[in-house]
């Protein structure tokens, strides 16, 4: 239960004020570009899971991630580089972040299946 509360807190932090742990540069970028409010909460959760846990991102949420933009995506991920994720080092987090972004970008370039 405690981990669920911690996870929920992090999601709220990510969406509403992802600037708490950010460096000044990331904080200013996030605020100026309104990065926290460009994705649906369920999509934030999917992206979060794909980077900090194990999960995948749906096509819908990939679309929202791409609308968010690469710079907002990376700035928000950097705000979550926190000791709470002791099992993941910065290199792993950044690799998973880039992988998630790349998969979504690749999906957006793929032709839609014929109906």
């Amino acid at each position: 239960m405690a981990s669920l509360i911690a996870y929920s807190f992090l999601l709220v932090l990510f969406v509403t004020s992802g600037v708490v742990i950010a460096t000044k540069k990331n904080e200013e970028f996030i605020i100026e570009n309104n990065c926290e409010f460009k994705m649906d909460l369920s999509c934030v959760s999917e992206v979060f899971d794909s980077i900090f846990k194990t999960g995948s991102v749906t096509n819908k949420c990939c679309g929202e991630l791409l609308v968010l933009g690469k710079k907002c995506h990376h700035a928000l991920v950097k705000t979550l580089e926190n000791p709470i994720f002791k099992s993941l080092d910065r290199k792993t987090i950044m690799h998973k972040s880039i992988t998630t972004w790349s998969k979504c970008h690749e999906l957006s370039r793929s032709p839609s299946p014929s109906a």
Side-chain angles (χ1 to χ4, degrees):
M1 182 67 176
S3 65
L4 179 61
I5 292 169
Y7 178 69
S8 297
F9 173 76
L10 286 172
L11 284 176
V12 170
L13 175 66
F14 185 88
V15 173
T16 60
S17 65
V19 299
V20 173
I21 305 167
T23 63
K24 185 145 180 90
K25 184 177 178 181
N26 281 336
E27 182 177 323
E28 289 172 3
F29 182 85
I30 290 167
I31 292 169
E32 289 170 4
N33 291 283
N34 201 26
C35 296
E36 306 100 329
F37 304 106
K38 291 184 178 179
M39 286 182 76
D40 180 69
L41 184 58
S42 64
C43 290
V44 169
S45 179
E46 282 185 24
V47 173
F48 178 91
D49 285 347
S50 75
I51 296 169
F52 292 95
K53 296 183 177 186
T54 303
S56 60
V57 182
T58 61
N59 288 350
K60 173 191 175 287
C61 293
C62 272
E64 288 193 24
L65 179 62
L66 294 173
V67 168
L68 175 71
K70 193 172 193 173
K71 288 183 179 181
C72 273
H73 168 68
H74 287 300
L76 288 168
V77 169
K78 285 183 181 185
T79 68
L80 293 171
E81 289 177 359
N82 184 303
I84 199 164
F85 301 106
K86 294 175 186 167
S87 62
L88 295 176
D89 62 11
R90 184 178 189 284
K91 184 177 176 182
T92 301
I93 292 168
M94 291 312 294
H95 173 73
K96 291 178 84 174
S97 170
I98 291 166
T99 299
T100 298
W101 177 268
S102 297
K103 285 181 181 178
C104 286
H105 188 261
E106 194 173 304
L107 276 174
S108 74
R109 298 178 54 130
S110 300
S112 300
S114 300

